[in-house]
Amino acid sequence: MSPPAALRPGQPGDDAARTPVPGGPGLSSGTAPRGDTRGILEPSALLRHISFRRLPPAPALRPYVEHYWLIDWDLPAPYEARVLPHPAVNAVLQWRGGRSRCEVSGVGLRVHTERLEGTGRVAGVQFRPGGFRPFAPTVPVAEWTGRRLPAEEVTGAGPALTEALAVLGEEGDDAHRAAAVDAWLLSLTPRPDPQAALAVKLAELACHDRTVCRTARLAELGGLSVRALQRLFAAYVGVSPKWVVLRYRVLDALERAAADGAADWARIAAELGYADQAHLVRDFTTTVGVPPTAYAARSAA
């Protein structure tokens, strides 16, 4: 089994641009992927079973793509990984049991459980919220929400995708895999879209600006009516702005619970913009399935 690491250094032969570098909570600069474990349920357990790292995409793709996420595993027994999805579309190239395939996964509404067994490799693309639409411009992103479809049905087939899947099946380094994914995405010729750029900007505000607690506030920051903001998010993000704000709050709370079993939840609720602790506990429990204190205790164990 490969040595587990949250973000291990690039393998020999990686160039500097492909070295995973721990970053801040976002990727606004387009230079370094996030260095957190946000969205991974019980991350310490997961990282004992797999090797996980993030890489930046090619510069031309950074307006649309948050990062690439790569995992490898070689397991003596099956393991179930659980993830709370970000409000983002993912393209997932995977090699398992000698076979390769690529799926496009719309925004996941619930905790996702993935069974890992034997040996496998994945090269995933996490698009920015709002950033996927230029790769499939004729269909509102809400059409993919909660669905996983073969990439050929969403973006079409082509030699660049075939090559990227072939590279994933080889014993290559991370830089080679990322370059192959770059080539595939660039072959789809995404075109700049002002509406996509606006959706990306507003989704980032929902992620980082704790004064954004209501849809009306986000609409005001974007210079839009509430109804126009809702239409924009349906077309470009795939879920409502209210849902995005809530999901980012729960993702933050989830990471804090995993990091500190004795966290002060009243203080955290205030920092995340909740009116009180009870509202945070309710949202966390509804989304994750257990209260934050129970999750924190389970993570610590």
Side-chain angles (χ1 to χ4, degrees), residues 4 8 15 17 26 40 126 131 166-167 209 218 223 249 266-267 278 286 292-293:
R8 71 181 186 183
D15 57 39
I40 301 173
Q126 182 173 313
V167 167
D209 188 341
L218 192 59
R249 286 177 169 185
R267 177 179 57 80
T286 300
T293 51

Side-chain angles (χ1 to χ4, degrees), residues 58-83:
L61 293 168
R62 291 176 190 171
Y64 315 106
V65 175
E66 178 102 3
H67 57 248
Y68 299 150
W69 50 274
L70 281 70
I71 64 174
D72 300 82
W73 66 91
D74 184 2
L75 300 172
Y79 175 77
E80 288 191 342
R82 300 174 68 234
V83 176

Side-chain angles (χ1 to χ4, degrees), residues 81-153:
R82 300 174 68 234
V83 176
L84 181 63
H86 288 243
V89 174
N90 282 259
V92 185
L93 297 85
Q94 51 188 306
W95 175 87
R96 302 191 190 199
R99 294 186 176 184
S100 298
R101 70 178 188 274
C102 180
E103 294 179 324
V104 170
S105 179
V107 176
L109 301 178
R110 301 173 183 83
V111 170
H112 173 70
T113 300
E114 187 74 24
R115 181 180 173 88
L116 306 177
E117 54 188 328
T119 302
R121 292 189 284 273
V122 169
V125 181
Q126 182 173 313
F127 292 89
R128 295 177 182 273
F132 178 72
R133 180 69 184 270
F135 295 85
T138 62
V139 181
V141 177
E143 290 291 323
W144 318 121
T145 298
R147 304 172 66 193
R148 298 181 70 170
L149 297 169
E152 294 83 356
E153 294 184 20

